Amino acid sequence: MKIQANHSGTRTIEVTEKHLQTIDKYSLLRNLIDSNGIIDEDVLDKLKLNIRSMLASEAGSDKNLLDLCLDVIYNNNMKAFGLHQLALLFIEWKNEQDDDDEKSTAGTAE
């Protein structure tokens, strides 16, 4: 999957299923965005600081977290607009995961 990294659409960032699973595993987007719902460069910096502190701890040994950082979060094209697109992609992906879980649970209940 690709997300648009700028308003004009000239830059994109490749996001894999593994990246989305890592975001979910560490709840990286939870409580990141203020109540105003605006994603700006300060929010991106906050995410980078949160991840940097995770990497400094024992969670930093997770290769998937390192890959997420190198491929997506610290990508040269990642700006606030890209983070917004990543958040939208993650929400869509998470909703699909929840729908699949509900379908599999309903199938076993019958």
Side-chain angles (χ1 to χ4, degrees):
M1 299 164 266
K2 287 188 178 188
I3 57 168
Q4 186 175 326
N6 62 3
H7 289 286
S8 63
T10 57
R11 298 188 187 271
T12 59
I13 299 172
E14 185 73 29
V15 180
T16 66
E17 179 91 10
K18 188 72 77 179
H19 293 141
L20 295 171
Q21 290 169 350
T22 304
I23 291 169
D24 190 31
K25 176 181 178 181
Y26 291 102
S27 302
L28 295 176
L29 300 180
R30 182 166 292 146
N31 300 324
L32 185 66
I33 303 162
D34 293 333
S35 60
N36 62 16
I38 297 172
I39 297 176
D40 57 14
E41 294 302 320
D42 289 338
V43 174
L44 179 58
D45 290 341
K46 181 179 174 184
L47 175 61
K48 288 179 178 181
L49 289 173
N50 289 346
I51 291 175
R52 188 175 299 154
S53 106
M54 289 175 139
L55 290 172
S57 73
E58 59 194 59
S61 62
D62 185 349
K63 181 187 178 320
N64 293 329
L65 184 59
L66 287 170
D67 288 345
L68 174 67
C69 288
L70 295 173
D71 299 341
V72 180
I73 305 301
Y74 284 92
N75 185 302
N76 287 336
N77 294 329
M78 180 56 83
K79 304 289 184 237
F81 184 83
L83 180 57
H84 180 81
Q85 297 304 309
L86 179 62
L88 293 175
L89 175 64
F90 177 76
I91 291 167
E92 181 182 318
W93 174 83
K94 188 67 174 163
N95 287 338
E96 288 174 8
Q97 299 302 308
D98 292 345
D99 288 348
D100 290 347
D101 289 346
E102 286 177 18
K103 287 178 186 172
S104 66
T105 303
T108 57
E110 294 176 9

